[in-house]
Structure formats: structure tokens, C-alpha cells
Amino acid sequence: MRFAIGDSDFLLDGEPHRVLSGAIHYFRVHPDLWQDRIRKARLMGLNTIETYVAWNAHAPQPGTFSLEGGLDLGRFLDLVAAEGMHAIVRPGPYICAEWSNGGLPYWLFADGTVGVRRNEPGFLAAVRDYLEQLAPVLVPRQIDQGGPIVLVQVENEYGAYGSDASYLRALEQMHRDIGLTVPFTSVDQPMGTMLEDGSLPSLHKTGSFGSRSKERLARLRQAQPTGPLMCSEFWDGWFDSWGEHHHTTPASASASDLDDLLAAGGSVNVYMFHGGTNFGFTNGANDKGVYRPIATSYDYDAPLDEAGRPTAKFHAFRSVIERYAPVPPLPASMQPGGSGVLGESVASGASVASGASVASGDGLEARPAPAADVAVRLDRVAPLRALLPALTAWSTHDEPPTFDALGAASGFVLYRTEVDLPDGGVLTVGTEVRDRAVVSVDGVVVGVLEREHHDRAIALPPVTGTLELLVEDQGRVDYGPRIGEPKGLIGGVAVDGVPLARWSASPLTLDPIAPAALDQLAALETSDGDVLAGPVLAAGSFDLTSTEDRYLSLDGFRKGVAWVNGFCLGRYWSRGPQKTLAVPGPVLRTGRNEVVVFELHASASRSVCMLLEPDLGHTEA
């Protein structure tokens, strides 16, 4: 088959074709749930799945490149094909996506000599190597080779960042050099000169917007007089940042804008169809004068919620789509009021090899109703200090090293030095705390420095002993000029103006959590009491008879990280808007399960709960 760009339409084997796509980021969804989410996209009436490729997830350290497990992009694309759908792939190299560093590996910029998103030899050489690593996955899965890929996007909203045509030409040629033959696209907001600045005549321009469809398409047509109109990011919701309200978009308003878009003959990629979760420490951040880390949930108020269930938006969009294209019948479980759960053969995520097919029938019986919420008591408790031998690998430095210099992409780094301050003093960080530091003397917490508040100074009590700063990277900036910046205690640390030297530093092994630390927690005797004083790790066990998706409620806890059966669910924070952490069903098991919580500050309770529904609490505006 052949996919091409015609004078007014996309052409599939020479016939006009409308792209009805939905975004699912494979790296935000447990791989055993990919098939379920893809099938539900088809049931809404979509014919295409779009995904970014997160370079830094595949290459977390220099010289590494993984395509296994949750990073098996080939398997994801094969599941798309098996469902009879096409694929749009956006390898970047920059993706934004509210993902750490916009998808760019931290190590790329560690020595300060490599350019960011520009025609610079070091950056382009790294991009070439990245694309060559992707070639065996992407090239044989193009539509003209029997695969699902019909479009590939070059860069991402570049017109909002720069206008270097030589950079875009170099990227385009690299994509061609690895063997990609399908049409190439660019995407920018139809505002100002972004469409022109972010593209080339050889790249088909598409727009990104979520409202005022007629106006946005008119601006897109002005920038590109011929060819199919496409909104390749139709924003049907928005992401959440910690401390802000939960963003929602009325289903009726989004459906009306989608109707306008399709009525104009446009093609669409719904961003997001299913948002998923920023598991581990993968969330990004924004900094437009004030640093704002992005929440763990990437629900996005999408047609399919974080647990993969249809929302009102799913049904509203499906009603619009069926005016313009055939839609398959909905199983009872996917209809309004249904469970949203497809049959076991889909939800179990059986593996699919390249080129294999999967039955696409929809008459699948829903699984039995799940059991009730399960309360869990965290009855094995250890202060962080007691587990440090299992979580650390110390190195010594004249001044505090950055995360980047330590090879830490994200998470936590503990900085330690010995001080003699009989009268105390004022500790200051020279330039900036990136992003949050819990300050302790001799194991006693004396305060917190937060980047969001532009904190750089804190008063220390008299101390002759150990000064520690536990620094958390709360998310690397994913948009704008601060992409690629280092993390840690930037500019050194001083007390009363005198620099502190002779530091020891270590990243904490938390994602995945060090097995030795889990073993120590498992071997602890159970303890009484209700409160927790951090930094502390606490563990508890619970039993299940079924393994559906759940939510971990941490009511009473303040800030930290949680794991279930060793899988890092991500960060929690009492400031909201998110109150519960998504727990994918495949992480759970029938019988005994384990939950671990790393609480930085304190909790009024040792009880958590495995819920069947999220605790929305104060998530709404």
C-alpha cells in the first residue's frame, strides 16, 4: 500500500483518506495494557494511533539503548497493525509531551558544549545515532512495506522555539537517510509566524489547537495553500501541575470543536485519546519565571481516563465521528454506564510478534466485577538513614556535584559534609536549588529550600557534625529555553559566605528501588504507632483475589514516592490536585502484594488504601 499527500486530501492507494487518529504514548502505559487501549481507540471510531518516541527513556545513560518491555516500540506498532489501524510516529528528537527534558537525554548536555535544538555538530551527531537506533523498528513498519506507519513528524512545535531552517533540513535528511519513505510532517500552533518558522516547504504543515477550529484551519490554509488540512494535536484537555487545579474541558465544547474540524474536511489526531501516567520520575516541568513541576497523573481529561475507561468525552467524540466515518459497534461494557473493561483476552495483553494478527471481534464478555477497596497498614518502618547503605554509592567532591555529573537522570541525590558551627549560621545556595532540598543537621530536619519559592537561604542551628541536603529533581523543564539545564545545588553552598568543601554525594537508587532495601524492609519486625516522621520508608502487605487497575490513596501523607510490588508508581504530594496514584492491573497479583512508601516529611497515619476508583477530592477547579 502507499500513503501520499494529494492536492486536497491524504491519499491511500490513490483514494482520498481522512486520518482519524488518537494519541497513546506507549511509555506512559503498562505494556500489558497497550492492546486494550488501542482497541478502545478503534471502538471510538479512530483509524490511526499516534505516539511520540521518548529518546531519554530508551537511552537513559550514554551508550545504552533499550527496546524491551515497556519500551518495545516495535511491539506497540505491531499491536496497532493487528487492530487494523495505521500509525503516526513522532520521534522528535524533541517531543515536549510534558515529559522530563522534553524527551532529550540529560547526558547529552552534561559537559555544556552540545547545542539544544539547533544546527550544532554535537547535537546533530547524537540525533543521527538515535535515529539509526530506531531505524530497525520504524523502517520495516512503514505502510509501503506492509506496516502501519503512514506519517512521521520531524521535530515538534519548533516554531515556538526557533526558526533555524538549516537545523530542520538536517533533521529531515537524517530521517530520510535511515530509510523512512512515508510523508513527513511538522506541527505548530496556527498563531503568529510559528507555522512558517517551524517548518520547511518539504514538510507537510499541521496545526496544534483545541478550540476555534475554523479560525485555526483558516490560518493553516494561509500558510499552506494546498494539501490536506490536519490538526495533529487536537487538545481535548490539559495536563496538571502540582499545586494548581485539575484541568477539564467540557465534553460538549470539545465535541463541537471536533465537529467543526471534521466538517471542514480536516484530519485529526486527538491529543490525548488516553493520557496514562508519568510513572517513576518521568514527569516534566514548566518554568516561565516560576518553576512548576507536572503531576504524576497524565489523565489529560481524555476520552479514555487514566484507568482506561471511557468518559463522557469518549461517547461525545464517537457521536461526532460517526457523522463522517463508519464506527464499529460498542460492546455492552463500553456503553454509557458500563464497566469500561473489555474481555480477558484483550486486557491480559498477550504478546504479539512482528506481523502477527490479533482477532478484532468486539463481542467479548466483560470480566467479573472486582472486589472491594483494600486497606493496607504500613507496619514495617525504617528511617531513610538506616537504609542508606542499600540505596547509595558515595563519591567525594570539592563542591556539590550536579545530578548530571553523578550520572543521575532524575530522582534524589543526598549531599553530605561535616561542619563545625558552634554558633550556627545562614546556609546559602549560590545560584539556584534544582529543585527542592530537605536540609538536616545530625539527622534532624531543619527546613526545606524550594525552587518554586526561589529559596536559596536557610538558618542553621548550632551544630558540630553532619550537614545533609536531600535534593529532589522534581522534573526537568520540558519547554522553552531552560531545556537541558543541570540539576542539583547550582552555584555551590556556603555558610555565612564561606564556601563549604569536602562533600560526599550519592544518588538514591529508587527507580527501581534497590532490591537490598526491599529485603531489609521485608525483614523488619512489625511495629505499632500511627504517625510517621520522615524521611522514612514504610512497607505493608495486602491480599487480592483479582488484578484490575486500582488507585493508591495516601490520605494523610505529605510528599514522597510509592511503589507496589517494586514498580515505581511515581510521586505524590498533598498540595494536589492529584490525590491518588494509578496502579496498573498488571503490576498486581492474586494473593500477597507489597506496597512501599517513601515519605519525606510526616504522615498522620500509617494506613493507605487500594481503591477501585480515584479519590478526586479537591482535584476540580
Side-chain angles (χ1 to χ4, degrees):
M1 300 183 73
R2 186 171 182 272
F3 193 84
I5 294 174
D7 290 338
S8 58
D9 299 286
F10 290 113
L11 302 175
L12 182 61
D13 279 347
E15 296 297 322
H17 177 79
R18 189 198 299 263
V19 175
L20 298 169
S21 177
I24 302 174
H25 299 156
Y26 62 96
F27 46 87
R28 280 186 161 121
V29 180
H30 192 285
D32 289 351
L33 298 174
W34 288 344
Q35 184 182 352
D36 175 84
R37 296 347 184 209
I38 292 166
R39 178 161 297 181
K40 288 171 177 174
R42 183 174 63 78
L43 291 173
M44 196 177 81
L46 303 179
N47 58 28
T48 305
I49 298 295
E50 175 270 317
T51 186
Y52 282 125
V53 180
W55 181 6
N56 56 3
H58 291 276
Q61 297 295 335
T64 64
F65 200 87
S66 174
L67 290 164
E68 299 178 352
L71 297 173
D72 191 348
L73 175 58
R75 177 174 174 262
F76 179 80
L77 294 171
D78 291 340
L79 288 167
V80 171
E83 202 60 44
M85 302 179 77
H86 294 150
I88 299 170
V89 180
R90 303 203 282 173
Y94 165 77
I95 63 173
C96 183
E98 292 75 57
W99 185 260
S100 177
N101 224 30
L104 298 174
Y106 83 91
W107 48 261
L108 191 56
F109 312 110
D111 66 2
T113 64
V114 174
V116 180
R117 301 181 73 188
R118 61 186 174 90
N119 191 355
E120 186 276 322
F123 184 65
L124 292 182
V127 173
R128 181 179 297 278
D129 181 65
Y130 161 57
L131 292 174
E132 288 174 350
Q133 299 270 16
L134 285 180
V137 176
L138 301 182
V139 173
R141 290 178 171 85
Q142 296 179 99
I143 192 168
D144 53 9
Q145 298 192 37
I149 300 174
V150 293
L151 293 170
V152 170
Q153 181 182 293
V154 175
E155 245 282 353
N156 187 61
E157 292 190 322
Y158 187 63
Y161 182 85
S163 57
D164 185 351
S166 67
Y167 166 62
L168 294 177
R169 284 193 294 269
L171 285 185
E172 179 186 20
Q173 189 59 50
M174 287 182 192
H175 283 71
R176 291 293 180 210
D177 287 346
I178 67 169
L180 293 174
T181 56
V182 296
F184 288 172
T185 65
S186 62
V187 62
D188 283 286
Q189 297 179 52
M191 299 170 60
T193 61
M194 292 184 191
L195 285 165
E196 290 81 4
D197 292 345
S199 191
L200 300 168
S202 51
L203 303 176
H204 186 69
K205 296 179 180 67
T206 70
S208 53
F209 53 86
S211 61
R212 299 159 65 181
S213 295
K214 296 177 182 178
E215 176 185 335
R216 304 306 188 197
L217 290 176
R219 176 66 183 93
L220 179 58
R221 179 55 78 207
Q222 179 187 37
Q224 186 167 252
T226 63
L229 292 167
M230 182 172 185
C231 176
S232 61
E233 280 193 26
F234 179 72
W235 304 324
D236 56 5
W238 205 245
F239 60 91
D240 290 339
S241 297
W242 293 113
E244 298 182 356
H245 69 276
H246 174 52
H247 293 82
T248 60
T249 304
S252 58
S254 290
S256 177
D257 283 308
L258 177 62
D259 196 11
D260 288 343
L261 198 165
L262 298 182
S267 287
V268 68
N269 175 54
V270 174
Y271 189 100
M272 299 290 296
F273 168 71
H274 171 56
T277 307
N278 296 315
F279 294 118
F281 304 118
T282 57
N283 64 281
N286 283 303
D287 194 328
K288 299 177 181 179
V290 177
Y291 175 81
R292 287 282 185 263
I294 290 163
T296 300
S297 172
Y298 200 67
D299 177 84
Y300 214 84
D301 194 35
L304 217 61
D305 71 11
E306 193 174 8
R309 297 168 301 189
T311 66
K313 202 167 285 182
F314 177 98
H315 299 291
F317 281 17
R318 189 174 186 274
S319 295
V320 170
I321 291 169
E322 67 181 353
R323 299 173 200 162
Y324 302 93
V327 298
L330 274 184
S333 64
M334 289 292 289
Q335 293 175 10
S339 68
V341 178
L342 295 180
E344 187 68 40
S345 63
V346 173
S348 64
S351 98
V352 174
S354 176
S357 63
V358 173
S360 57
D362 300 311
L364 299 168
E365 295 183 3
R367 290 181 287 174
D373 297 343
V374 179
V376 186
R377 177 171 171 77
L378 305 178
D379 55 7
R380 286 165 279 133
V381 178
L384 173 63
R385 293 171 67 87
L387 295 177
L388 286 179
L391 297 172
T392 55
W394 295 98
S395 56
T396 57
H397 309 267
D398 291 334
E399 59 184 34
T402 63
F403 278 50
D404 312 64
L406 291 169
S410 58
F412 293 80
V413 168
L414 183 59
Y415 297 88
R416 175 184 287 173
T417 188
E418 297 301 313
V419 294
D420 183 12
L421 302 169
D423 298 319
V426 176
L427 178 149
T428 58
V429 177
T431 302
E432 192 170 49
V433 176
R434 298 183 189 156
D435 301 310
R436 192 174 189 272
V438 178
V439 184
S440 304
V441 292
D442 283 337
V444 178
V445 175
V446 297
V448 176
L449 298 171
E450 299 205 48
R451 175 177 178 174
E452 283 185 87
H453 300 159
H454 302 286
D455 293 339
R456 290 175 45 225
I458 189 170
L460 299 178
V463 56
T464 298
T466 303
L467 170 69
E468 292 181 334
L469 290 91
L470 178 59
V471 179
E472 179 185 3
D473 155 40
Q474 295 191 113
R476 291 181 183 263
V477 173
D478 57 67
Y479 187 88
R482 300 197 74 158
I483 296 168
E485 65 183 8
K487 290 288 188 174
L489 302 169
I490 309 304
V493 177
V495 173
D496 292 341
V498 180
L500 297 180
R502 299 184 300 279
W503 289 87
S504 297
S506 176
L508 300 187
T509 308
L510 297 177
D511 187 17
I513 191 168
L518 291 177
D519 291 343
Q520 283 184 249
L521 285 169
L524 290 173
E525 296 289 333
T526 59
S527 61
D528 297 326
D530 294 322
V531 300
L532 293 174
V536 63
L537 282 91
S541 302
F542 61 100
D543 293 317
L544 293 176
T545 58
S546 58
T547 58
E548 53 281 324
D549 290 2
R550 287 181 176 262
Y551 291 85
L552 177 63
S553 171
L554 293 143
D555 188 29
F557 288 74
R558 183 176 168 194
K559 190 180 196 302
V561 186
W563 298 258
V564 169
N565 295 333
F567 181 87
C568 190
L569 303 178
R571 314 172 202 259
Y572 64 87
W573 202 347
S574 60
R575 70 190 299 188
Q578 178 178 350
K579 291 195 69 177
T580 49
L581 292 174
V583 184
V587 169
L588 299 168
R589 51 191 178 229
T590 56
R592 183 55 53 97
N593 294 262
E594 296 287 329
V595 60
V596 174
V597 174
F598 173 32
E599 169 59 48
L600 285 167
H601 301 293
S603 172
S605 169
R606 288 197 190 183
S607 294
V608 299
C609 193
M610 300 297 299
L611 305 177
L612 291 170
E613 300 289 337
D615 179 359
L616 297 178
H618 55 281
T619 59
E620 302 300 329

